[in-house]
Amino acid sequence: RSGSSCFVSSGIADPAAEFTCFVFETEAVVMVNIPKTRNTYCRKCKKHTAHKVSQYKTGKASLSAQGKRRYDKKQAGFGGQTKPVFHKKAKTTKKIVLKFECSKCKAKRMKPIKRTKHFELGTDSKKGSKNEYGGKYR
């Protein structure tokens, strides 16, 4: 936590009120930096091999998926919005999902890591990063 908070220790109406302030220690912004290659276990090779690490991105939603077809059918015609639209967004970050690809057999697997506002893949400097996550939340 960063910042400070003050409160009046004696009465509020007293013009010579004594103020007591508490200042929290400022934490450094946590930057998660992950190397682009990692030596980890491959289930297909059944041994540790070098894996290429990348950030998982959601693919384009299919129009032919059953849920989308059902939703479109229900929305068709008169009657307005038929399903609830979620507005109470509480989270400011998403969990980062890493995609590991085995360099030998090309098998892929996903691994979620913690929530973070700043995420980089294999870079040394903090300035000018292209793989930074969370740009729209700052």
Side-chain angles (χ1 to χ4, degrees):
R1 294 179 186 171
S2 63
S4 63
S5 67
C6 296
F7 68 93
V8 179
S9 61
S10 59
I12 297 172
D14 186 11
E18 179 186 333
F19 284 95
T20 308
C21 293
F22 295 102
V23 178
F24 301 114
E25 291 181 25
T26 57
E27 292 179 8
V29 176
V30 179
M31 176 72 74
V32 178
N33 196 342
I34 291 178
K36 289 186 178 179
T37 57
R38 182 188 286 188
N39 197 40
T40 187
Y41 184 77
C42 176
R43 293 176 185 156
K44 203 170 174 184
C45 299
K46 297 194 185 318
K47 61 181 181 179
H48 274 70
T49 55
H51 282 67
K52 193 167 78 175
V53 182
S54 59
Q55 188 178 355
Y56 168 78
K57 291 201 172 184
T58 311
K60 187 180 175 184
S62 172
L63 290 170
S64 59
Q66 178 60 58
K68 179 67 175 156
R69 283 181 285 154
R70 185 184 296 119
Y71 178 76
D72 289 342
K73 180 87 171 159
K74 192 171 185 179
Q75 284 290 95
F78 298 108
Q81 182 68 34
T82 58
K83 304 274 277 178
V85 179
F86 186 70
H87 293 295
K88 295 182 179 180
K89 188 170 184 269
K91 302 281 190 281
T92 58
T93 58
K94 291 191 175 202
K95 287 184 179 178
I96 306 294
V97 179
L98 299 179
K99 185 167 78 171
F100 295 106
E101 183 182 348
C102 179
S103 56
K104 297 273 172 67
C105 66
K106 305 294 182 201
K108 296 167 189 71
R109 79 188 161 96
M110 314 290 180
K111 185 175 185 192
I113 58 171
K114 65 182 182 178
R115 294 177 179 275
T116 181
K117 287 193 175 186
H118 304 279
F119 173 75
E120 287 183 354
L121 264 178
T123 53
D124 295 329
S125 66
K126 291 184 181 179
K127 292 183 180 177
S129 64
K130 293 177 184 173
N131 294 328
E132 190 172 330
Y133 170 77
K136 65 179 181 179
Y137 295 118
R138 281 179 274 127

